[in-house]
Amino acid sequence: MIVGVPKEVKSDEYRVAMLPVGAEELTRAGHRVLIEQGAGLESGISDEEYAIHGAEILSGPEEIFSQAELIVKVKEPQAEEWPLLRDGQMLFTYLHFAADEELTREVLDTGVTALAYETLRGVKGDLPCLTPMSEVAGRMSIQEGAKYLERPHQGRGVLLGGVPGVAPAHIVVLGGGIVGKNAAQIAAGFQADVVLMDINIDRLRYLEDIMPANVNTLFSDRHNIREQLQRADLVIGAVLIPGAKAPNLVSAEDLKIMKSGAVVVDVCIDQGGCFETSRPTTHSEPTYVVDSIVHYCVTNMPGAVGRTSTYALCNVTLPYIREIANRGLQAACDRVPGMLEAVNMHRRQVTNQAVAETFGLSYVPFNEC
């Protein structure tokens, strides 16, 4: 199989979808690996490193997309990449279709088979390709929140851990999954006062057992959320419904009960965001202010720490790429538990029910296409 890795073109995206070891393993198995020139530079990986491990370095995306049977990326294809996709080609990347109807319809029209990292299931029902980036984003959310709480960034001027005689910041984490767990752990390390909210009581019991004493768990309902918003200096949005749009937990009206200069970091902005006032931002222009509340809604947070994120992502994606290359998609789906869940589109049909329902499109299971 011919596997192509184009350079990421999304604004401020510094990750790359394959490591040199991936190129070596695939070429040793008899496949061709095409890497766009400069694709790994922002992650500290030179073209020479790819080349000595068997990859072919090509000068532009047109060559990659025109030759490759399987395109491996990090982020969803951008508008300039849509015309390069072709019927029957496979695309394996983060897609987050439910957050973007135009992207969904444009990719559907190309006829590609679209496989999403974020909906691929592990043997235990987990999300193995989403987990490492959720870990990065969860940890980064506190780092970024701390920065934008500083007064020069229009924040309240609050230090997360406080100092003797001065109370620490009150941090509210909406969602106790991978993002929320990592956010709470880092916030606790800063000695902040943390409340971690979720609707799953069993998950809350688990989190209560493993979290430090300065992290309290609380059931997530409308009344509790509003009560916590009134106290919050920093709110982290960390909810996830795999493949579907994130639920709206904080309305525009709710912002009026928050402290002036409080910060919200909407980690689930890739899936549409859980604050009504959220809109996608970039690392170059990461924040905006609504009703005196600072919003940080960067859609590719892990991209800022490209080297860490690239290695974390490629460690988990390579085995799936290898299975597809070695066996073909159908056999890989038959052999690997959860691989079928990754297929969001096939033969111009939407094969992910959550995506189809989000935009009122017809849903057709993969095996019926």
Side-chain angles (χ1 to χ4, degrees), residues 12 74 78 144 233 344:
D12 300 312
V74 177
Q78 303 300 292
E144 298 302 317
D233 297 296
N344 280 212

Side-chain angles (χ1 to χ4, degrees), residues 1 3 5 16-29 31-33 35 50 53 70 72-73 92-94 117 120 128-129 132 309-327 332 336 339:
M1 185 172 285
V3 181
V5 181
V16 64
M18 188 172 293
L19 298 174
V21 66
E24 180 176 323
E25 289 201 22
L26 289 169
T27 54
R28 286 179 62 188
H31 309 293
R32 290 177 63 199
V33 176
I35 306 284
Y50 285 115
H53 292 290
L70 170 62
V72 182
K73 291 180 86 285
F92 194 24
T93 186
Y94 288 116
Y117 293 154
L120 191 152
C129 294
S309 297
T310 287
Y311 279 81
L313 176 63
C314 294
N315 287 343
V316 296
T317 57
L318 178 59
Y320 297 104
I321 296 168
R322 191 170 52 219
E323 283 290 331
I324 295 170
N326 287 343
R327 302 176 187 280
V336 181
M339 173 70 81

Side-chain angles (χ1 to χ4, degrees), residues 52-343:
I52 64 175
H53 292 290
E56 302 170 41
I57 309 301
L58 302 184
S59 60
E62 294 83 5
E63 293 182 76
I64 300 288
F65 281 89
S66 65
Q67 295 186 51
E69 300 161 273
L70 170 62
I71 294 288
V72 182
K73 291 180 86 285
V74 177
K75 292 302 291 180
E76 72 280 355
Q78 303 300 292
E80 63 260 45
E81 295 174 311
W82 298 341
L84 302 179
L85 296 168
R86 67 176 195 272
D87 187 47
Q89 193 172 51
M90 289 180 285
L91 171 67
F92 194 24
T93 186
Y94 288 116
L95 289 165
H96 299 291
F97 280 134
D100 191 332
E101 184 172 1
E102 183 182 16
L103 170 70
T104 302
R105 294 185 181 277
E106 289 289 343
V107 174
L108 185 62
D109 284 345
T110 67
V112 299
T113 294
L115 298 96
Y117 293 154
E118 72 272 10
T119 61
L120 191 152
R121 291 281 182 179
V123 293
K124 298 180 180 178
D126 56 335
L127 302 167
C129 294
L130 188 61
T131 294
M133 296 303 96
S134 295
E135 291 168 337
V136 171
R139 296 178 183 211
M140 279 189 68
S141 69
I142 301 303
Q143 181 176 303
E144 298 302 317
K147 181 191 335 182
Y148 292 103
L149 270 173
E150 295 173 3
R151 193 64 196 133
H153 295 292
Q154 299 181 280
R156 296 195 68 228
V158 173
L159 183 67
L160 290 192
V163 292
V166 181
H170 186 72
I171 300 178
V172 179
V173 182
L174 301 173
I178 301 298
V179 171
K181 171 177 171 286
N182 279 269
Q185 288 173 324
I186 297 301
F190 275 100
Q191 301 182 344
D193 177 34
V194 185
V195 170
L196 182 53
M197 306 182 71
D198 203 277
I199 59 174
N200 185 325
I201 292 294
D202 289 335
R203 180 67 176 177
L204 290 177
R205 290 193 180 104
Y206 164 73
L207 293 168
E208 185 79 23
D209 287 342
I210 66 166
M211 287 293 168
N214 57 328
V215 177
N216 293 299
T217 59
L218 187 64
F219 186 78
S220 183
D221 62 32
R222 178 72 181 147
H223 289 184
N224 284 340
I225 290 173
R226 284 180 60 84
E227 180 182 336
Q228 290 302 314
L229 290 176
Q230 291 177 296
R231 300 179 55 199
D233 297 296
L234 171 61
V235 183
I236 309 297
V239 296
L240 173 70
I241 301 174
K245 192 177 186 302
N248 190 297
L249 300 182
V250 179
S251 70
E253 193 65 25
D254 291 335
L255 298 186
K256 294 179 172 58
I257 67 173
M258 296 179 67
K259 301 171 183 176
S260 179
V263 175
V264 300
V265 177
D266 199 343
V267 182
C268 46
I269 189 65
D270 273 337
Q271 292 292 124
C274 65
F275 300 87
E276 184 182 358
T277 47
S278 291
R279 56 180 171 80
T281 62
T282 66
H283 288 292
S284 298
E285 296 183 25
T287 63
Y288 58 93
V289 178
V290 177
D291 288 337
S292 79
I293 306 302
V294 180
H295 289 59
Y296 177 98
C297 304
V298 175
T299 56
N300 59 330
M301 288 177 65
V305 287
R307 187 168 179 87
T308 296
S309 297
T310 287
Y311 279 81
L313 176 63
C314 294
N315 287 343
V316 296
T317 57
L318 178 59
Y320 297 104
I321 296 168
R322 191 170 52 219
E323 283 290 331
I324 295 170
N326 287 343
R327 302 176 187 280
L329 181 59
Q330 182 65 65
C333 288
D334 292 342
R335 174 183 169 84
V336 181
M339 173 70 81
L340 186 60
E341 303 294 323
V343 185

